[in-house]
Amino acid sequence: MAKKLDRSTKGAALRLQAEELLRMTKHDVAAMPVKDVQQLVHELQVHQIELELQNDELRRTQIELEAGRERYVNLYDFSPAGHLILDRSGTVVEANLQAGVLLGVNRLELIGQPLVRFVAAEDRDLVYRHCQEVLRTGTRQRCEMQLQQQAGVSRWLYLESLAVHEEPGPITHWRAALLDITERKLAIQKQDQLIKDLTLSQQRFQSLFHWIPSAVGISTVEEGRFFDVNEEFSRLTGYTREELIGRTTLELGMWADPSQRAMVLQDLQDQGFLHNREGELRTKSGEIRSLIVSVHSINLASTPCLIYLGHDITERKRAEMALQSSDAFTRAILNSLSAHVCVLDKEGVIVATNDAWKEFGWLNSSHGVPILDVGQNYLDVCRRASVAGDSTARATLGGIEVVLGGSQPSFITEYACHSPEEERWFQMRVTPLKHEKGVVIAHTDNSRQVRMGLALEEHVRLLGEKQKELESLARKLIEAQEEERRRIARELHDDFNQRVAAFSVELESMERAPLRSPAQVVRQLAAIRVQAGTLSDDLHDLAYRLHPSLLEHVGLEVAAREHVAEFAERTGLSVRFIARAVSKTLSSEVATNLFRVMQESLQNVSKHAQATDVTVRLSGSSKGIGLSVRDNGKGFDREDNPACAKGLGLVSMQERVRGLGGFLRIHSLARNGTKICAWIPHVQEDA
């Protein structure tokens, strides 16, 4: 409309200008010859036709411009990127639809808002500097910013800005384009986390590699040349790690026999690993140590390598030779025991174990439990575990040492030894050897007894909690019952009793009054009749609150609909009632309890929710019937406000539903409304 007025104003101005020029012309048309007048008229007609053609062309051009403008507006509004025009203070002057979507508000609400309002606090300085650079340099500027979290979700946008140069003078506005880069940011964060996890895994591997109690070395396959060893390998050989790097297995005397080495390599080629092969190793001092070695073939950076896992069994070999005469008898006794038994000498070196001990060690070796065998120092293993922070190993070490020292006749402790498959507990008993310096350690699996004890404790705890809940519920129910009785008594005494007394007084006054005209008597009786009707209605309402008789006559659906309508009229709230497939044959117990749950829920909405919209839904199915009451009120956090979750109303609703084999769920968060859902299954009657 403004454009049409503008064009008409310009047309009027042109006409006035043309008339002024016509008055100023010196030619008098009346004095001109007829031929010249005809020629002038002809030229004017030609000009008129030309102007009409130009006018038609201008109209077509205007239509095309309007269509082009409409296409531009559509492309602008529905662009996949957000577009903004902002003033020098960073306030949004114009925005397309996608900008509102990216910033999480309606486009109309976005106009007039500062851009930094939607930016996370830690990125606001970045956006301020971005704005200043755009206005200062007038060149294209780019940055990435994080938006404020919405519902706990973070989002990032790519911001590209350019100053607007429409007229000469200082820059007054600047344009900005927004792109959602949340997926890329999350991918980068995930990649960074993967790098951190990989670095942590490498650190853990290095820690495990160097602190594992077994000697570990890694060599090439062709030459058997070591390129990495752990500290235990260095301690065992007497060489430093730097001295071992580059040495071969032959230089250390491992499988020096060519035929033996060829057999080892052939077995590795066939199986990919060797398990518990005995061998020898020459230390830096020239001492020959006995080993039990496992070898595995692996690929490191596409290079075939061998990893050696060795245990020093020299002391075990010596102990075996010293105890060879009595070994059969001792082993028979030890193997007859179901407990895991090992015998330590005075230094803590294992000199004997039974089969149960070994079997347990091999079964748990894959869970990180070290395999302890004859020749190893049990106390050293406990000391290393104590240094690593194992409190059980520290207590075990102290108990063994006091028994070895003779200051205590025995030591008993219980400890847990869990695996991914099951939880297990053991009792360890340490007793001294007779006539010798040493101790016998027996580990007995008492998992069954511990589990029974834990289960009993848990049942006792749950029983105590249930007892407390029942006591609290009984106390609250008694209090509620007494309060309800007092309320009914007050209503009967203060209201109904007074009104009945008033009837009695009025009737008595009629009885004592002199004879009146029938019309006066009729008027008094009519007033008494109205008061009696009101009293009857109030008594009916009181009885309905105590027990809704409508349930027995028309069923749950109609009674609930009537109550919702009465609640909406009484409170002025917008309440919707939705019913679907509600059975007409519900038992009175189910119908009454669901009706009471709905009453209590609506009462809580009226008292606490501060809601403006409520939805009540009854849904039936072949398995049961459900009730939900949802409001858009302020809600509550059950963890921050436990009193809301433990009130008598909610407890009463839970007990009503639980007593019928159903359940009650409460979904609520502060400022996000509340939804109460109850479900009661159909009772399957016996055939």
Side-chain angles (χ1 to χ4, degrees):
M1 180 64 71
K3 292 184 177 180
K4 290 182 178 180
L5 292 175
D6 187 52
R7 285 196 295 270
S8 62
T9 302
K10 289 183 178 180
L14 289 173
R15 180 177 180 84
L16 292 174
Q17 184 178 2
E19 291 176 351
E20 182 66 23
L21 290 174
L22 182 61
R23 284 193 298 270
M24 293 175 60
T25 183
K26 296 181 180 181
H27 299 286
D28 186 0
V29 178
M32 293 176 61
V34 176
K35 184 177 181 180
D36 292 342
V37 172
Q38 291 176 346
Q39 180 66 28
L40 181 59
V41 170
H42 175 72
E43 290 179 358
L44 289 174
Q45 290 175 345
V46 171
H47 284 304
Q48 180 181 0
I49 294 172
E50 289 179 353
L51 288 174
E52 290 176 353
L53 292 175
Q54 289 178 0
N55 192 28
D56 292 340
E57 184 66 25
L58 286 174
R59 288 194 187 96
R60 286 194 298 272
T61 303
Q62 181 181 2
I63 293 172
E64 292 176 357
L65 287 175
E66 290 292 336
R69 180 181 179 278
E70 186 69 23
R71 287 195 299 272
Y72 166 75
V73 169
N74 290 334
L75 289 174
Y76 177 75
D77 279 341
F78 297 103
S79 171
H83 295 282
L84 301 172
I85 296 180
L86 306 99
D87 60 16
R88 292 185 63 87
S89 63
T91 301
V92 178
V93 177
E94 184 177 339
N96 68 342
L97 295 175
Q98 185 64 17
V101 172
L102 292 177
L103 295 177
V105 296
N106 185 279
R107 177 173 65 172
L108 297 179
E109 298 176 359
L110 183 59
I111 305 301
Q113 297 290 336
L115 179 60
V116 294
R117 174 195 164 204
F118 306 96
V119 180
E122 58 268 23
D123 282 354
R124 289 182 178 177
D125 289 342
L126 174 66
V127 175
Y128 278 127
R129 292 194 298 271
H130 176 88
C131 174
Q132 292 172 358
E133 287 297 315
V134 171
L135 298 175
R136 183 179 64 84
T137 64
T139 59
R140 190 182 303 272
Q141 301 292 326
R142 303 172 180 87
C143 72
E144 296 177 356
M145 61 183 183
Q146 182 180 358
L147 299 181
Q148 292 184 359
Q149 289 190 353
Q150 297 181 1
V153 178
S154 298
R155 296 179 61 194
W156 287 265
L157 296 182
Y158 170 80
L159 176 64
E160 183 170 343
S161 304
L162 184 64
V164 178
H165 295 280
E166 295 183 351
E167 297 180 359
I171 299 172
T172 58
H173 293 80
W174 50 288
R175 293 189 179 94
L178 304 173
L179 290 176
D180 192 339
I181 58 171
T182 303
E183 292 185 1
R184 178 168 65 84
K185 280 289 187 179
L186 293 177
I188 292 174
Q189 289 182 355
K190 186 176 181 181
Q191 181 180 5
D192 293 341
Q193 185 61 40
L194 288 175
I195 293 174
K196 291 180 181 178
D197 293 343
L198 179 60
T199 303
L200 181 60
S201 297
Q202 291 175 343
Q203 292 173 352
R204 289 175 177 171
F205 169 75
Q206 290 296 329
S207 176
L208 178 64
F209 178 74
H210 286 292
W211 287 102
I212 190 171
S214 303
V216 183
I218 305 176
S219 74
T220 58
V221 174
E222 292 79 6
E223 300 178 353
R225 195 175 299 279
F226 289 100
F227 59 84
D228 201 0
V229 296
N230 71 343
E231 295 183 4
E232 181 64 18
F233 195 99
S234 177
R235 186 197 64 79
L236 179 63
T237 60
Y239 292 100
T240 64
R241 181 175 179 274
E242 289 72 19
E243 291 174 334
L244 286 170
I245 301 301
R247 290 183 181 271
T248 64
T249 54
L250 292 177
E251 292 180 82
L252 298 177
M254 297 176 61
W255 297 306
D257 187 352
S259 60
Q260 187 181 19
R261 177 174 176 77
M263 186 182 301
V264 169
L265 293 177
Q266 184 62 42
D267 290 344
L268 281 172
Q269 184 177 0
D270 296 339
Q271 304 176 19
F273 67 93
L274 292 177
H275 193 57
N276 290 344
R277 294 291 181 89
E278 289 194 11
E280 294 181 342
L281 181 141
R282 185 171 56 251
T283 66
K284 185 176 182 180
S285 62
E287 180 185 4
I288 301 299
R289 308 287 296 183
S290 298
L291 298 177
I292 182 168
V293 183
S294 296
V295 187
H296 294 265
S297 177
I298 61 174
N299 285 325
L300 296 177
S302 302
T303 302
C305 300
L306 298 177
I307 181 168
Y308 298 84
L309 182 66
H311 300 276
D312 187 359
I313 59 172
T314 305
E315 299 299 330
R316 189 187 72 178
K317 287 286 189 181
R318 294 171 183 171
E320 287 176 353
M321 293 177 63
L323 300 174
Q324 188 172 6
S325 58
S326 60
D327 180 67
F329 179 73
T330 304
R331 183 158 298 280
I333 295 176
L334 292 176
N335 290 338
S336 66
L337 301 175
S338 60
H340 313 142
V341 180
C342 73
V343 181
L344 308 184
D345 64 11
K346 62 180 180 179
E347 303 297 333
V349 177
I350 300 176
V351 295
T353 62
N354 67 345
D355 290 343
W357 176 281
K358 293 180 180 179
E359 181 180 359
F360 178 79
W362 291 118
L363 288 176
N364 291 274
S365 60
S366 60
H367 304 315
V369 178
I371 302 174
L372 301 178
D373 210 339
V374 174
Q376 291 183 264
N377 193 304
Y378 192 93
L379 298 182
D380 287 346
V381 174
C382 292
R383 291 187 184 102
R384 286 194 290 269
S386 299
V387 172
D390 191 333
S391 58
T392 302
R394 187 179 302 111
T396 301
L397 177 63
I400 296 174
E401 288 178 340
V402 296
V403 175
L404 278 173
S407 59
Q408 187 171 310
S410 65
F411 171 73
I412 300 176
T413 185
E414 289 187 352
Y415 64 94
C417 184
H418 303 325
S419 66
E421 290 79 14
E422 63 175 338
E423 293 183 342
R424 302 179 68 181
W425 290 265
F426 290 85
Q427 182 188 76
M428 186 181 75
R429 179 185 295 271
V430 182
T431 55
L433 283 173
K434 300 297 183 180
H435 310 298
E436 294 185 24
K437 291 292 185 179
V439 294
V440 177
I441 300 177
H443 298 261
T444 304
D445 190 342
N446 62 342
S447 301
R448 185 169 178 271
Q449 293 86 341
V450 174
R451 291 192 188 99
M452 291 177 62
L454 293 175
L456 181 60
E457 291 177 0
E458 180 64 16
H459 288 172
V460 170
R461 185 185 66 80
L462 293 177
L463 183 61
E465 292 180 356
K466 293 299 181 183
Q467 182 67 26
K468 291 180 180 179
E469 289 181 3
L470 288 175
E471 292 175 357
S472 175
L473 178 60
R475 185 171 59 255
K476 290 180 178 179
L477 288 176
I478 292 173
E479 293 174 357
Q481 185 180 28
E482 293 301 323
E483 178 61 28
E484 184 66 14
R485 288 176 176 174
R486 287 193 293 270
R487 185 185 67 81
I488 295 174
R490 285 196 302 269
E491 288 190 9
L492 291 175
H493 179 271
D494 298 342
D495 186 11
F496 299 110
N497 186 45
Q498 300 300 327
R499 290 158 71 178
V500 170
F503 289 162
S504 177
V505 170
E506 190 167 353
L507 290 173
E508 184 179 358
S509 65
M510 290 179 62
E511 181 182 2
R512 294 180 178 180
L515 185 63
R516 300 180 182 181
S517 65
Q520 291 178 335
V521 173
V522 168
R523 284 196 299 273
Q524 287 183 332
L525 291 176
I528 294 174
R529 179 180 57 80
V530 172
Q531 294 177 9
T534 304
L535 178 61
S536 176
D537 292 340
D538 292 343
L539 284 172
H540 178 268
D541 291 340
L542 177 62
Y544 178 80
R545 288 197 296 272
L546 294 176
H547 178 71
S549 59
L550 196 62
L551 279 173
E552 300 176 355
H553 301 294
V554 297
L556 176 62
E557 180 179 348
V558 176
R561 190 183 302 275
E562 291 292 330
H563 183 77
V564 168
E566 185 273 333
F567 175 81
E569 181 179 358
R570 173 165 48 86
T571 61
L573 295 176
S574 172
V575 187
R576 292 187 301 277
F577 179 80
I578 302 172
R580 181 178 63 84
V582 179
S583 175
K584 304 295 185 182
T585 60
L586 290 175
S587 67
S588 61
E589 185 178 15
V590 171
T592 300
N593 281 282
L594 277 180
F595 188 84
R596 292 305 188 197
V597 170
M598 181 190 70
Q599 276 186 316
E600 182 66 28
S601 300
L602 291 176
Q603 187 69 11
N604 289 339
V605 171
S606 175
K607 287 182 178 179
H608 310 294
Q610 299 179 8
T612 59
D613 185 76
V614 185
T615 300
V616 179
R617 186 186 301 272
L618 270 175
S619 301
S621 69
S622 60
K623 296 182 179 180
I625 182 167
L627 166 73
S628 69
V629 179
R630 180 197 293 269
D631 66 73
N632 65 343
K634 64 180 182 179
F636 63 91
D637 193 326
R638 300 183 67 184
E639 294 182 357
D640 294 342
N641 192 2
C644 294
K646 296 183 179 178
L648 180 60
L650 295 180
V651 173
S652 175
M653 289 192 291
Q654 290 175 339
E655 291 301 321
R656 284 180 181 276
V657 177
R658 188 185 304 165
L660 295 173
F663 61 84
L664 184 78
R665 299 287 186 270
I666 302 172
H667 308 278
S668 182
L669 287 175
R671 299 180 298 279
N672 283 336
T674 301
K675 181 180 180 182
I676 296 180
C677 300
W679 169 261
I680 298 178
H682 290 319
V683 178
Q684 300 296 330
E685 298 182 355
D686 296 335

